[in-house]
Amino acid sequence: MAEIQCEEPNPYQVALKQLEIVAEKMKLEPDIHEVLKLPKRVLEVAIPVRMDNGRIKVFRGFRVQHHDALGPYKGGIRYHPKVCLDEVRALAMWMSMKCAVVGLPYGGGKGGIICNPKEMSVGEIERLTRRFTSEIMEIIGPYRDVPAPDVYTSGREMAWIFDTYSKAKGYAVPEVVTGKPIEVGGSLGRKEATSRGTVIAVREAAKRTKLDLTKATCAIQGYGNVGYHAALLQRELGSKIVSVSDSRGGIYNSDGLDPKAVKQFKSKNRTVVGYPGSEKITNAELLELDIDVLIPAALEGQILADNAPRIKAKIISEGANGPTTPEADDILYEKGTLLVPDILANAGGVTVSYFEWLQNLTRESWTEETVNNKLEERMVTAFKTVYDVSQREKVHMRTAAYMIAVERIGNAIKLRGLFP
Ligand code: GLU
């Protein structure tokens, strides 16, 4: 099969560039740099699915395992028409870095299927999920590689993965996948966890920049699981959500939007666009609004050298993976924007995935309060560690976060040595 080309900026090239910047800054041993550049394993599978019209459609799916020096591969599975292999490679590397930044005993992996779930029936999505699970069965497992939700996947798909894997083993293995519904071994607090972490990052950043969040305005790009819960939590801190968007465009209201009402509108109309009392804007315009806090919670490649000079937000907390290019990072840093990078800002999701995995392995269930307190503690500690390195080394937060992650992974690689 032909290699699948990603749109520009190519996410894997972005990830390699980020790694290169850090390698240079920390004078990383070239051998470790080489090891981290390439994923350890890339699996591409063809997934034949019986569609509702009786015909077979063959989908293409991937699972990329970047590195496992710190523990089993960990990362979500994305369903999207624009999934491309270099994107999944990049996302897998970012998972390695993310897990290392927050100190989880995991490596990094990611999966993706090229499909448009918005145009498929529930039955078709279920058959796709189960067949994909069976095709990657050999390389996943509770101590091997633990998938989770990502763009356009949720607890529903995770329950099917859990069930398919368990059927093959002959007994229930909830710890093979995280982000499951509560009823089948999911963790309280997991659904909100990514956003909770992203908003904790905003709060910690606001403390450092002396921004009063009770008077702040906020825009959120993307209104899926991460964007929606981020809107709710940011509003709890007293901020005004003046703009949100989805793939069809954005809405703006200077008096503030009610996140729950917008969600209800989107459930009915499949988009936020047209929400009563709001002005329609584009996704590009949303990024450049005169606001205090910007939360990108959609896809990669949004903040580029082109538009970075026009971004006015004082704090950016990346709920999405890979929204900003290295060139844009430098522009924002020069301008004094405090950007909390994806590998820290959205690490709350995988952190509570880790808690879910621990609960499954021990057959325990923790209260939501326990989960949220543990998440808070990890996020605050990780934020402080990254912020302090960025101040000490005079680098932006992304480079600081990478320095910490690469150091931790590099040390594990060195201590474990090379086989054979
Ligand atoms: N897909 C999420 C991420 O990008 C969650 C991964 C996980 O929980 O393993 O961080």
Side-chain angles (χ1 to χ4, degrees), residues 311-316 331-339:
I311 287 182
K312 298 174 194 74
K314 299 177 188 76
I315 292 172
I316 302 177
I331 295 169
L332 293 168
Y333 185 60
E334 290 296 314
K335 276 171 48 146
T337 313
L338 183 52
L339 181 147

Side-chain angles (χ1 to χ4, degrees), residues 168-235:
K169 295 288 162 192
Y171 50 90
V173 192
E175 55 276 15
V176 69
V177 62
T178 59
K180 298 178 294 295
I182 310 292
E183 297 85 339
V184 289
S187 176
L188 291 167
R190 174 62 185 86
K191 205 160 57 184
E192 303 82 7
T194 307
S195 317
R196 192 169 288 279
T198 305
V199 173
I200 291 173
V202 172
R203 195 194 65 206
E204 294 303 301
K207 275 187 208 157
R208 268 71 170 192
T209 52
K210 311 242 170 342
L211 175 72
D212 180 357
L213 287 178
T214 62
K215 296 198 177 70
T217 50
C218 174
I220 301 176
Q221 188 194 41
Y223 215 58
N225 184 47
V226 179
Y228 170 57
H229 288 105
L232 287 179
L233 292 163
Q234 193 61 45
R235 207 160 102 127

Side-chain angles (χ1 to χ4, degrees), residues 229-306:
H229 288 105
L232 287 179
L233 292 163
Q234 193 61 45
R235 207 160 102 127
E236 269 177 30
L237 296 181
S239 309
K240 208 193 281 179
I241 314 300
V242 294
S243 183
V244 301
S245 70
D246 57 30
S247 60
R248 300 202 199 168
I251 54 174
Y252 176 82
N253 183 336
S254 58
D255 293 332
L257 299 158
D258 173 359
K260 274 204 180 114
V262 174
K263 167 85 193 281
Q264 276 164 5
F265 181 88
K266 183 174 162 74
S267 306
K268 222 187 268 161
N269 301 282
R270 303 180 80 175
T271 175
V272 298
V273 176
Y275 178 71
S278 72
E279 187 187 321
K280 182 175 192 242
I281 60 169
T282 64
N283 263 294
E285 284 165 346
L286 177 145
L287 298 173
E288 298 173 18
L289 287 172
D290 192 4
I291 42 159
D292 300 304
V293 178
L294 175 63
I295 302 183
L299 294 170
E300 311 78 81
Q302 302 299 311
I303 306 179
L304 316 167
D306 284 358

Side-chain angles (χ1 to χ4, degrees), residues 74-79 129 133 146-150 152-165 174 176-181 184 356:
K74 185 85 193 80
I77 298 175
R78 160 174 307 203
Y79 290 1
T129 305
T133 307
V146 184
D150 198 75
Y152 296 157
T153 57
S154 64
R156 183 180 71 174
E157 287 75 16
M158 302 309 116
W160 293 328
I161 295 174
F162 156 53
D163 187 70
T164 308
Y165 188 87
V176 69
V177 62
T178 59
K180 298 178 294 295
V184 289
E356 180 175 334

